[in-house]
Amino acid sequence: MAAQTGNAAPVLSDFEGQGAVYDGLMRTLRDGTFVHAYLITGLEGMGKRTLARLLAQYWLCQAPEGEKRPCGVCRACQQVRDGTHADLVIIAPGKPISPDVRPDMKSIPVDEIRALIAITGRHTFEGGRRVVLIEQADKMNPPAQNALLKTLEEPVPGTIFLLMTESPSLLLPTIVSRCRELKLHPWDDRTVLSVLEKHGVTGQRAQEALHVSGGSIGKALAVAGDEQYWQRRSEVMRDFFALERRSDILRISSTWKDRKDDAEELLDDVEDMLRTLLLCHLGQRSESAVTPYPAAWQRFSREGELSAMMRLLDAVAQARQMRANQVTWQAVVERLLLSLMEEKSKWST
Ligand SMILES: [Zn+2]
């Protein structure tokens, strides 16, 4: 998923927030100086595929000369959106275009690139340009990359390649140097929040989704819609941050002892929630982020010592270490609960 307007289809200007990358790209589209190969990079959820589809629409759109492109409504634009345009070739691991490639292959083998080269050697169906999207381009194995390199070195007129990857370092440097890189950087908070809002996510959940998103709109939306995640977060808040008495520790640890499979997520959650208290203390997150916490923790966040906060984060690190040392999960949970309760009791009235 990427920046988009509610249920309406995404548009190129959704990428305005990418600043210089967007400005430069639009300039080359306007004056026709765009190149025949682009490498769209950026972490998961930044909008690489959305941007690639929009560019494919741009180059295949049938809107009359002088009108806005992509129009988003012509047959070509719709077919690009559906992935059914005859002159749009999509290469992605697991969705082979070559009958010789098994769909369960995790990589993009050379046969796939050979099939692609055979297609690019033919006339286009619509008589216009052809656009090739290569998703997860780093999944091309070395022979595949070498085969593609030859094509990039001898461009076919009218064919535009859009490679996408989270890890450009896994591509041959010669491939990277043949492409113009479009590097998508993390989105700013305002953009992430506005996309969340357009998807009906607001309030505390939007703030939390923003916080864990790291500027990835895809991740923010995925987290916002992940009910299991929110369920676990509320359980962690209830059991680890709202516990009242030392006698609760055994009861709570015994309810978590069977949830060993959730151990990593649980420790991540506790760490993340502690970090939120710390960030609020440092003024790096708005105070509203601590409203879901019991009053004692809110006070701790305002008035606590930095060293105490670091001690609690340390307790999480120790919990991970104990797990690595094969200490039973229940004992790990008990120790962590004890650390949290000791601190909380100092701030309870
Ligand atoms: Zn169109």
Side-chain angles (χ1 to χ4, degrees):
M1 294 297 296
Q4 60 181 50
T5 314
N7 294 324
V11 291
L12 272 176
S13 59
D14 286 339
F15 285 84
E16 231 173 320
Q18 290 290 329
V21 172
Y22 173 82
D23 296 341
L25 175 64
M26 293 312 282
R27 200 163 43 241
T28 61
L29 292 182
R30 267 196 309 274
D31 62 20
T33 56
F34 53 85
V35 295
H36 74 286
Y38 286 90
L39 177 63
I40 307 177
T41 62
L43 298 175
E44 191 190 341
M46 294 301 166
K48 297 186 292 298
R49 278 162 67 185
T50 305
L51 178 59
R53 293 280 177 131
L54 286 166
L55 287 171
Q57 278 186 337
Y58 180 89
W59 284 308
L60 297 171
C61 178
Q62 291 168 331
E65 202 64 44
E67 285 189 17
K68 179 182 157 289
R69 284 187 189 200
C71 71
V73 293
C74 73
R75 187 173 54 89
C77 280
Q78 288 175 29
Q79 287 176 335
V80 170
R81 199 178 304 134
D82 300 340
T84 57
H85 194 290
D87 292 320
L88 173 71
V89 187
I90 303 174
I91 305 281
K95 286 177 239 158
I97 58 166
S98 162
D100 301 330
V101 177
R102 294 197 323 271
D104 60 347
M105 281 196 79
K106 300 265 187 287
S107 64
I108 301 173
V110 69
D111 282 344
E112 195 61 357
I113 301 303
R114 288 201 186 112
L116 168 66
I117 291 168
I119 292 171
T120 58
R122 295 198 286 266
H123 289 296
T124 57
F125 290 93
E126 304 274 346
R129 293 195 180 91
R130 177 178 278 126
V131 180
V132 177
L133 309 185
I134 305 184
E135 298 177 0
Q136 300 179 58
D138 51 279
K139 294 280 161 58
M140 285 186 288
N141 64 21
Q145 292 200 29
N146 274 308
L148 180 70
L149 179 61
K150 289 199 190 75
T151 311
L152 295 179
E153 282 170 346
E154 293 160 23
V156 185
T159 298
I160 300 164
F161 288 84
L162 294 164
L163 282 63
M164 290 151 257
T165 182
E166 284 176 46
S167 319
S169 61
L170 297 178
L171 289 171
L172 292 175
T174 39
I175 286 193
V176 176
S177 69
R178 288 278 157 189
C179 300
R180 183 173 293 169
E181 186 175 359
L182 299 172
K183 186 173 185 178
L184 300 182
H185 55 69
W187 294 88
D188 62 36
D189 292 2
R190 204 164 43 90
T191 306
V192 176
L193 285 174
S194 86
V195 175
L196 285 169
E197 192 182 345
K198 282 166 189 159
H199 282 78
V201 185
T202 54
Q204 197 61 42
R205 188 177 279 214
Q207 288 295 332
E208 284 296 318
L210 166 70
H211 174 58
V212 297
S213 71
S216 160
I217 287 173
K219 195 166 178 191
L221 287 170
V223 165
D226 181 354
E227 291 308 326
Q228 250 185 333
Y229 172 88
W230 296 102
Q231 174 69 24
R232 199 185 60 237
R233 295 281 285 202
S234 79
E235 287 168 354
V236 169
M237 182 62 82
R238 180 196 65 205
D239 288 351
F240 286 78
F241 288 86
L243 78 170
E244 295 288 346
R245 287 170 295 276
R246 196 171 274 259
S247 57
D248 289 339
I249 290 180
L250 195 63
R251 178 182 57 78
I252 293 170
S253 72
S254 65
T255 66
W256 282 87
K257 79 170 191 296
D258 297 327
R259 296 179 65 175
K260 257 163 84 173
D261 293 344
D262 289 345
E264 283 311 311
E265 285 88 353
L266 169 86
L267 294 175
D268 286 348
D269 286 341
V270 173
E271 183 175 359
D272 190 58
M273 289 175 179
L274 288 169
R275 213 173 282 283
T276 298
L277 296 172
L278 172 64
L279 290 174
C280 287
H281 178 76
L282 297 172
Q284 291 173 13
R285 280 200 69 188
S286 80
E287 272 183 37
S288 66
V290 297
T291 46
Y293 292 72
W297 288 113
Q298 295 188 26
R299 209 167 301 126
F300 171 69
S301 173
R302 277 195 307 274
E303 302 160 28
E305 297 277 338
L306 199 57
S307 59
M309 300 184 186
M310 300 317 281
R311 223 172 23 247
L312 289 175
L313 285 168
D314 250 5
V316 180
Q318 278 166 24
R320 290 187 208 281
Q321 191 57 50
M322 286 165 77
R323 251 171 67 70
N325 292 340
Q326 314 291 329
V327 177
T328 67
W329 174 229
Q330 185 171 5
V332 173
V333 170
E334 276 169 22
R335 174 77 175 273
L336 187 56
L337 285 168
L338 193 61
S339 303
L340 288 163
M341 212 204 61
E342 275 173 358
E343 191 60 47
K344 178 171 180 268
S345 63
K346 295 180 197 162
W347 301 92
S348 302
T349 45

